[in-house]
Amino acid sequence: MDKLLISGGNSLKGEISIAGAKNAVLPAMAVALLTEGDSEIRNVPLLNDIKMMSHLLRIIGTKVDYRDNTLYLDTKHCSFCEAPYELVSKMRASIYVLSPLLARFGRAHVSLPGGCAIGARPIDLHLKSLQKMGVEIKIENGYINAQVDKLKGADIFFDKSSVGATITVLMAAVTAEGITNIINAAIEPEVIYIIELLQAMGANITGKSTTELVVKGVKKLKPVDTEVIADRIEAGTFMIAAAITRGDVKVINCIPHHLFSLMEKLQEAGCQLEYGPDWIHIIAAKKIRSVNITTKPYPGFPTDLQAQFLALMTVAEGTSIIEENIFPERFHHVPELNRLDASIELDDHRAIIKGVKELSSAPVMATDLRASAALVLAGLTAKGTTTLSRVYHLDRGYEKMENKLQKLGADIVRSH
Ligand code: EPZ
């Protein structure tokens, strides 16, 4: 299994280009199943999660090609309405195929996702909503057996904001009979992107960017033809890498307004930031100040940047408190960071971080995607050479992160 060897102490300098957003590509691939035709998704990074979703679409009968950062999907001959446990258990986003299979074929046999490193990942909001739209659901032997003659519009109220459930209902509603009202819809940029994608395919959706969506079912949709938005979490990760190494980095091909919550917190920590239409320039503070964070649904501070920001706070001046409200167990990076001589205590869904002068290297292990990113960032500043194992977690959401960091002057190599 691959490892990363990271020798700390170099300040990152230079320009880094941001790839397409994993969490926009995955639902866009599922949206393609709604139509019979040739779809094209551009600006797609080569990530393990996208390879897994491609494998799942092939099982369903989609022809999938990937060339020059573009996915070509031929969904004319889909027929096998199955998402097996082996895949769904590895990637929760597989659940996205449930809705389009029901919309197109009236049936689906999809494994329950099971848990994952960041905690239980229920799908009750997805299933309850589909039942309200007429779907008959039976849970048998760890699988969801779902069937419906014709999806019907319904009033869907989410008692908590859910990116996945909002997208599941949107995919079910766009060709359903009648009108679907979605109340308390998630407004993450990836959800807005999917709404715009569906509208471009002919869907009738109003209320975009608000938490109240109205979807009027249409007969047919055109195939997908889209360029994916930039990955705000990759951009945020590199901004924090610049801060933790006291560097000076310009992140390009990103969408600054998706990152205002992070930019606010980095300024509070003493960094200088300026931005233009598709770039953000960050000059790190000589001394990082401790800052408190509470993760929230968009536009609040994103849970997917919590681990990375926590790594930064381990070398800040003072004590910071980070509260994780979306996935309360999302702290597997903490024991590993403490192995690098950080001083972090956990109290339920809060981490209390006492800044230390310097981290020191040690062998550490990735447990999940964003925890592994946090450990890379810590390694970039820790004295000595940090070895990070189980790097496949990192490769799920970052394409060759070590190459991008090397370009900025980091001393990091992958060993096979
Ligand atoms: C998406 O997951 C992202 N994944 C996650 O990114 C991200 O952390 C999360 O949204 C929150 O922003 C993809 O887009 C593929 P939710 P999702 O439904 O849709 C609870 C990464 O690192 N919930 O918005 O699964 C849930 O447990 C990944 O790239 C229910 O209770 O997240 C959580 O507490 C990690 N029942 C909260 O809602 C449900 O039916 C928000 O989850 C669904 C969710």
Side-chain angles (χ1 to χ4, degrees):
M1 280 203 268
D2 287 5
K3 288 185 182 342
L4 287 180
L5 305 175
I6 311 154
S7 300
N10 297 6
S11 288
L12 300 188
K13 297 230 182 320
E15 223 172 67
I16 193 75
S17 180
I18 297 304
K22 165 179 83 79
N23 292 348
V25 174
L26 295 173
M29 293 172 78
V31 163
L33 290 175
L34 285 169
T35 74
E36 291 176 44
D38 295 309
S39 291
E40 197 173 297
I41 306 175
R42 294 178 294 283
N43 193 28
V44 174
L46 187 56
L47 302 174
N48 287 357
D49 270 15
I50 290 165
K51 287 180 194 162
M52 276 199 271
M53 193 63 149
S54 302
H55 181 47
L56 175 55
L57 291 192
R58 287 191 182 101
I59 290 174
I60 293 169
T62 311
K63 215 168 135 330
V64 184
D65 287 315
Y66 178 77
R67 288 188 307 278
D68 310 325
N69 277 14
T70 301
L71 275 170
Y72 300 91
L73 308 173
D74 171 354
T75 54
K76 292 190 284 294
H77 309 292
C78 294
S79 60
F80 189 56
C81 301
E82 171 96 22
Y85 174 69
E86 297 68 34
L87 260 171
V88 180
S89 57
K90 291 197 192 80
M91 185 183 64
R92 174 190 160 74
S94 312
I95 197 71
Y96 277 142
V97 303
L98 178 58
S99 245
L101 289 176
L102 288 166
R104 190 155 157 209
F105 302 106
R107 66 186 194 289
H109 186 238
V110 175
S111 165
L112 285 169
C116 88
I118 62 178
R121 303 283 294 276
I123 53 167
D124 55 314
L125 300 176
H126 299 245
L127 301 183
K128 267 191 308 205
S129 307
L130 290 172
Q131 283 170 321
K132 286 190 83 172
M133 298 178 77
V135 180
E136 203 189 303
I137 288 178
K138 284 203 200 74
I139 308 284
E140 279 155 356
N141 312 321
Y143 273 78
I144 302 158
N145 273 313
Q147 61 180 29
V148 66
D149 294 336
K150 178 75 183 148
L151 284 158
K152 291 190 181 37
D155 292 339
I156 307 291
F157 167 74
F158 289 127
D159 57 8
K160 67 166 73 170
S161 175
S162 163
V163 170
T166 302
I167 293 174
T168 280
V169 172
L170 280 166
M171 291 192 284
V174 285
T175 58
E177 232 158 55
I179 293 174
T180 301
N181 293 297
I182 307 177
I183 315 291
N184 196 20
I187 56 168
E188 268 69 2
E190 294 75 26
V191 175
I192 309 304
Y193 163 74
I194 290 296
I195 291 173
E196 290 169 348
L197 170 58
L198 288 166
Q199 289 171 326
M201 294 163 68
N204 183 334
I205 305 170
T206 50
K208 181 183 82 165
S209 302
T210 77
T211 56
E212 309 219 349
L213 300 172
V214 180
V215 186
K216 286 195 180 73
V218 296
K219 284 255 166 304
K220 220 164 148 50
L221 294 171
K222 294 192 301 258
V224 168
D225 178 8
T226 184
E227 167 122 3
V228 174
I229 56 170
D231 192 324
R232 62 194 167 106
I233 306 303
E234 187 196 27
T237 304
F238 282 111
M239 288 161 65
I240 299 170
I244 203 168
T245 59
R246 311 294 191 275
D248 177 340
V249 170
K250 187 174 183 182
V251 174
I252 61 172
N253 299 327
C254 66
I255 305 172
H257 80 263
H258 289 170
L259 286 148
F260 279 170
S261 57
L262 174 65
M263 287 160 78
E264 168 83 16
K265 291 297 177 181
L266 286 171
Q267 270 158 346
E268 248 183 79
C271 300
Q272 280 172 48
L273 287 114
E274 52 181 1
Y275 65 92
D278 62 356
W279 58 267
I280 298 172
H281 181 202
I282 173 166
I283 300 174
K286 291 278 163 286
K287 285 194 176 349
I288 297 286
R289 289 196 292 266
S290 58
V291 168
N292 295 336
I293 296 280
T294 305
T295 64
K296 292 193 187 82
Y298 192 85
F301 193 92
T303 174
D304 291 352
L305 286 173
Q306 176 261 104
Q308 299 91 312
F309 201 88
L310 192 153
L312 176 63
M313 290 296 101
T314 64
V315 290
E317 283 204 331
T319 299
S320 49
I321 295 174
I322 294 190
E323 192 172 297
E324 171 57 63
N325 294 311
I326 311 294
F327 297 111
E329 295 169 41
R330 195 174 199 170
F331 285 117
H332 292 280
H333 39 290
V334 166
E336 295 301 312
L337 287 167
N338 281 338
R339 287 177 47 73
L340 300 174
D341 282 352
S343 171
I344 313 163
E345 275 170 42
L346 285 180
D347 165 26
D348 190 24
H349 64 297
R350 249 183 229 92
I352 297 102
I353 306 112
K354 273 200 196 67
V356 295
K357 229 172 129 16
E358 186 174 58
L359 297 178
S360 41
S361 58
V364 284
M365 195 188 305
T367 50
D368 57 88
L369 168 55
R370 307 303 175 184
S372 45
L375 292 168
V376 171
L377 301 189
L380 291 173
T381 188
K383 195 154 145 288
T385 301
T386 296
T387 309
L388 174 63
S389 56
R390 300 192 181 182
V391 174
Y392 58 86
H393 287 291
L394 189 73
D395 297 336
R396 293 190 55 167
Y398 298 92
E399 185 177 359
K400 299 197 196 69
M401 182 191 254
E402 70 275 12
N403 295 4
K404 291 194 168 184
L405 288 169
Q406 281 160 6
K407 256 190 70 182
L408 293 172
D411 181 349
I412 176 171
V413 289
R414 182 180 289 247
S415 83
H416 301 286

